Amino acid sequence: MSAGGLKVGAVVLTMGNRPDELRALLESVAKQTGDPIEVVLVGNGSPLPEVSVPGLTVRTVELPENVGIPAGRNVGIEAFGPAGRDVDVLLFLDDDGLLPHQDTAQLCREAFEADPKLGIISFRIADPDTGVTQRRHVPRLRASDPLRSSRVTTFLGGANAARTRVFAEAGLLPDDFFYAHEETDLAWRALDAGWMIDYRADMVLHHPTTAPSRHAVYHRMVARNRVWLARRNLPAVLVPVYLGVWLLLTLARRPSGPALRAWFGGFKEGWTTPCGPRRPMKWRTVWRLTRLGRPPVI
């Protein structure tokens, strides 16, 4: 442990197409109080722009192809040693985000030091112009008050801090997911290993308001990975319940014809392709998820 507390690193994944936003993010990391934060910048299938920022150590990794979000972040984790063991805590930050407050990293150190069972912290994402936090960025069912911090059952992939011991005990993000639900897969495994997850409204990442459906593969990936998530992690009796609920919710939202066809294609793919190792969570974890307000049937 360093003189300033827990040693903190950061992983930033980029396609190299937001150089101005990336520089602003790295400058906001350089301004964090406490010990300096070393950054690993992963170029996901694209050459990296010039990334020199005064006062900040940035290591770069250029991947020859786009391996997806979870696999790219895993590369960043492993750049800090197996399961990130060279640091105590890793920040995961979207390349078009920005830390508006200079004490976010220090607040993370203090939170993890105060609670030895705290494994992951999910930051509040706010639009830099309006200050609005979208409901989908509050990782709980009761999302009407984004300014309320609480224990939660999942986290936001590009705006969080994780204790690296979580990766050592629960494993890394699921590479094959490529995009969507990889955070919940890790969250369920972390909770099953005894860790807790907090949503902290006072730890903010500025990020422009977006819609997840902007990604061309959104509907297929969401459906496929939802099935994989259930097959990998849920007790067998809960798998059809969980997926049945999500099928009904999807139909209730009345997606367009092309979106619905893509969703059903992904749903079928989730059943007919390998999902990775199956490690069903303990029933006491099911109960913990239920007590935290999100039973694993929704």
Side-chain angles (χ1 to χ4, degrees), residues 20 22 33 39 54 69-70 80 83 109-110 116 121 134 151 167-168 172 175 180 182 198-199 202 244 261 295:
D20 295 337
L22 175 61
T33 56
V39 176
I69 294 173
F80 287 96
R109 292 186 185 98
E110 293 170 0
I121 299 172
Q134 294 177 268
R151 293 282 201 200
F167 304 122
L172 302 181
D175 281 354
E182 66 271 11
D198 278 357
Y199 168 72
D202 58 332
R261 285 193 293 273

Side-chain angles (χ1 to χ4, degrees), residues 201-252:
D202 58 332
M203 301 181 188
V204 180
L205 182 85
H206 276 173
H207 189 283
T209 298
T210 57
S213 54
R214 72 190 185 279
H215 298 290
V217 298
Y218 170 77
H219 297 286
R220 180 175 70 86
M221 291 290 188
V222 161
R224 184 198 68 180
N225 291 359
R226 183 79 71 183
V227 178
W228 281 358
L229 177 69
R231 290 175 58 198
R232 285 163 57 93
N233 295 289
L234 291 180
V237 69
L238 292 184
V239 172
V241 179
Y242 177 81
L243 296 175
V245 167
W246 277 103
L247 172 61
L248 293 175
L249 286 172
T250 299
L251 294 175

Side-chain angles (χ1 to χ4, degrees), residues 86-253:
D86 295 343
V87 293
D88 302 299
V89 173
L90 280 173
L91 309 178
F92 295 87
L93 307 169
D94 276 349
D95 66 343
D96 56 345
L98 184 142
L99 296 172
H101 306 308
Q102 297 182 13
D103 63 349
T104 301
Q106 185 57 30
L107 288 174
C108 287
R109 292 186 185 98
E110 293 170 0
F112 285 121
E113 287 171 343
D115 185 351
K117 296 309 295 180
L118 179 59
I120 301 171
I121 299 172
S122 191
F123 300 163
R124 179 168 64 90
I125 293 179
D127 184 275
D129 297 321
T130 65
V132 171
T133 297
Q134 294 177 268
R135 285 185 66 93
R136 70 185 183 91
H137 285 152
V138 182
R140 59 180 180 242
L141 290 178
R142 296 180 178 178
S144 60
D145 183 6
L147 298 181
R148 179 174 66 87
S149 299
S150 69
R151 293 282 201 200
V152 289
T153 62
T154 189
F155 63 96
L156 307 173
N160 73 84
R163 199 189 295 266
T164 54
R165 282 179 55 202
V166 171
F167 304 122
E169 295 181 14
L172 302 181
L173 294 157
D175 281 354
D176 291 341
F177 277 42
F178 197 85
Y179 164 77
H181 302 318
E182 66 271 11
E183 301 93 350
T184 299
D185 187 88
L186 174 59
W188 282 1
R189 286 183 280 118
L191 288 163
D192 201 48
W195 296 101
M196 299 302 291
I197 305 169
D198 278 357
Y199 168 72
R200 287 283 297 265
D202 58 332
M203 301 181 188
V204 180
L205 182 85
H206 276 173
H207 189 283
T209 298
T210 57
S213 54
R214 72 190 185 279
H215 298 290
V217 298
Y218 170 77
H219 297 286
R220 180 175 70 86
M221 291 290 188
V222 161
R224 184 198 68 180
N225 291 359
R226 183 79 71 183
V227 178
W228 281 358
L229 177 69
R231 290 175 58 198
R232 285 163 57 93
N233 295 289
L234 291 180
V237 69
L238 292 184
V239 172
V241 179
Y242 177 81
L243 296 175
V245 167
W246 277 103
L247 172 61
L248 293 175
L249 286 172
T250 299
L251 294 175
R253 291 168 179 169

Side-chain angles (χ1 to χ4, degrees), residues 252-284:
R253 291 168 179 169
R254 298 184 179 181
S256 66
L260 192 59
R261 285 193 293 273
W263 192 93
F264 274 111
F267 193 78
K268 178 181 178 181
E269 185 181 350
W271 285 107
T272 58
T273 55
C275 65
R278 174 166 164 74
R279 300 188 182 95
M281 66 178 65
K282 307 174 189 73
W283 281 103
R284 68 186 181 194

